[in-house]
Amino acid sequence: MRDVLAELADRVDRGETVGVGTVVATFSSAPRPPGAAMLVGADGAVVGSVSGGCVEGAVYDLAQEVVREDRPVLQRYGVSDDDAFAVGLTCGGIIDVYVEPVNRQSFPELPEVLQTVRAQEPVAIATIVEHPEWVGRRVVVWPDRATGDIPSARARDAITDDARGLLATGRSGTLHYGPDGQRRGEGMAVFVNSFEPPPRMLVFGAIDFAAAVARLGAFLGYRVTVCDARPVFATKSRFPEADEVVVDWPHRYLAGQADAGKVDERTVVAVLTHDPKFDVPLLEVALRLKLGYVGAMGSRRTHDDRLRRLREAGLAEGELAKLASPIGLDLGARTPEETAVSIAAEIIALRWGGGGERLARTDGSIHK
């Protein structure tokens, strides 16, 4: 949804009613995660995707239908359906897609949601996708307030509390309640679409490898910072894909960001400095924080020397075990760009529990 939000808000602001399909649940090897969205404009234009191409045609037709009838629909597509082959989901998996008409009247909070997302602040949209009477009603949830049109105060309060829980962890998902918001019961399904600020990638060391890592990090959706203590190398012109380029001692910058609460368990750190006077103090700070990934570039000899220095600095074995060094997966990379792919592959594998093996040599589910 983040990818189509600006286009959606622009069309709605012009008075258009847009058909929007959102993946709200997936089973087995579904190609796109919950929250993936596709919109169909009044002019027939399509923005976004719900299945990587598998069921787009069927969702396109359904989006036009819900706009004509002004009625949202929750539709399941997958290998269990008789028409699965016809809609193209022959790669396996099942997805539930909620398709709704969106306009100024149905979603008056949309401009403020877009403003919040652009400001990189958290917000969640909780939409009732299954209920005897309230399908399409929603509540928009910020950390300190909420607004919406759900008739029951009991249901609104329960959904708001649970949506804040999902928002705090940066997850989207479907919640289930009784018809009036009872914690135990069935009859109401609510999809919570969380828009948390993008995760951060901190790249230390203004070298050619850092430029490639920054470029790939931006492509993967990270907010990228490049930091180096040498102003002659740490320039915006050398790192145009980075969101910011900082001139500071790496360990001091990271400690300051941690003290300000600007790093978290989604933050990834790539130490590419190749110099003990930079990377050892930096790793002393990084390995004591709760971060998503800490990797350091260097040969195996450099790695052994680095571990010795860190042990002398007082780091425990459990802290050292968090260090990915030498950085990256064994792809046989040589160029800065290939090395950046190796580093990104390791980050992705650790985030989602992948083993880094060739899929052709593995069995079982592709998506963990």
Side-chain angles (χ1 to χ4, degrees), residues 160-206:
T160 298
D161 288 344
D162 293 342
R164 284 203 176 105
L166 287 174
L167 183 59
T169 60
R171 294 186 296 117
S172 298
T174 300
L175 306 172
H176 295 276
Y177 305 92
D180 193 43
Q182 299 94 329
R183 296 287 185 175
R184 296 182 180 181
E186 298 178 352
M188 178 163 59
V190 180
F191 179 69
V192 179
N193 205 340
S194 294
F195 296 86
E196 77 285 359
R200 298 189 66 187
M201 172 181 283
L202 308 181
V203 182
F204 294 98

Side-chain angles (χ1 to χ4, degrees), residues 110-128:
L110 181 58
E112 189 174 5
V113 169
L114 178 60
Q115 182 180 2
T116 301
V117 172
R118 283 178 168 169
Q120 297 188 3
E121 298 174 354
V123 62
I125 304 169
T127 305
I128 298 177

Side-chain angles (χ1 to χ4, degrees), residues 33-48:
M38 183 181 88
L39 65 84
V40 179
D43 57 357
V46 176
V47 180

Side-chain angles (χ1 to χ4, degrees), residues 62 88 94 114 148 156 159 203 207 220 266 277 309 336 365:
L62 183 56
I94 301 171
L114 178 60
R156 186 171 58 251
I159 293 168
V203 182
I207 63 176
L220 293 176
R266 301 180 302 146
K277 74 173 179 290
R309 292 172 183 266
S365 175

Side-chain angles (χ1 to χ4, degrees), residues 102-311:
V102 176
N103 52 38
R104 290 174 180 170
Q105 291 71 38
S106 68
F107 199 170
E109 303 91 350
L110 181 58
E112 189 174 5
V113 169
L114 178 60
Q115 182 180 2
T116 301
V117 172
R118 283 178 168 169
Q120 297 188 3
E121 298 174 354
V123 62
I125 304 169
T127 305
I128 298 177
V129 299
E130 188 174 2
H131 190 274
E133 302 175 14
W134 301 339
V135 171
R137 294 183 179 270
R138 62 170 58 86
V139 58
V140 180
V141 180
W142 289 268
D144 58 347
R145 60 191 176 92
T147 181
D149 61 354
I150 297 176
S152 164
R154 176 179 183 175
R156 186 171 58 251
D157 291 346
I159 293 168
T160 298
D161 288 344
D162 293 342
R164 284 203 176 105
L166 287 174
L167 183 59
T169 60
R171 294 186 296 117
S172 298
T174 300
L175 306 172
H176 295 276
Y177 305 92
D180 193 43
Q182 299 94 329
R183 296 287 185 175
R184 296 182 180 181
E186 298 178 352
M188 178 163 59
V190 180
F191 179 69
V192 179
N193 205 340
S194 294
F195 296 86
E196 77 285 359
R200 298 189 66 187
M201 172 181 283
L202 308 181
V203 182
F204 294 98
I207 63 176
D208 53 353
F209 287 91
V213 171
R215 187 159 55 249
L216 197 53
F219 175 74
L220 293 176
Y222 286 93
R223 177 173 176 81
V224 180
T225 299
V226 176
C227 176
D228 196 295
R230 303 165 297 176
V232 67
F233 295 112
T235 63
K236 185 62 178 177
S237 62
R238 296 189 69 225
F239 303 96
E241 288 84 2
D243 294 282
E244 59 181 350
V245 180
V246 176
V247 178
D248 199 350
W249 279 80
H251 71 282
R252 184 170 61 191
Y253 174 75
L254 180 58
Q257 294 294 292
D259 290 342
K262 295 183 178 180
V263 297
D264 55 30
E265 295 183 11
R266 301 180 302 146
T267 303
V268 302
V269 170
V271 181
L272 313 179
T273 47
H274 274 300
D275 189 333
K277 74 173 179 290
F278 290 120
D279 60 17
V280 171
L282 170 60
L283 289 171
E284 284 186 60
V285 176
L287 294 175
R288 287 177 171 137
L289 297 174
K290 291 183 178 180
L291 303 175
Y293 173 87
V294 180
M297 180 177 283
S299 66
R300 298 195 184 279
R301 179 181 299 177
T302 299
H303 169 69
D304 292 339
D305 179 67
R306 183 185 291 134
L307 288 182
R308 178 183 60 79
R309 292 172 183 266
L310 290 171
R311 288 190 179 99

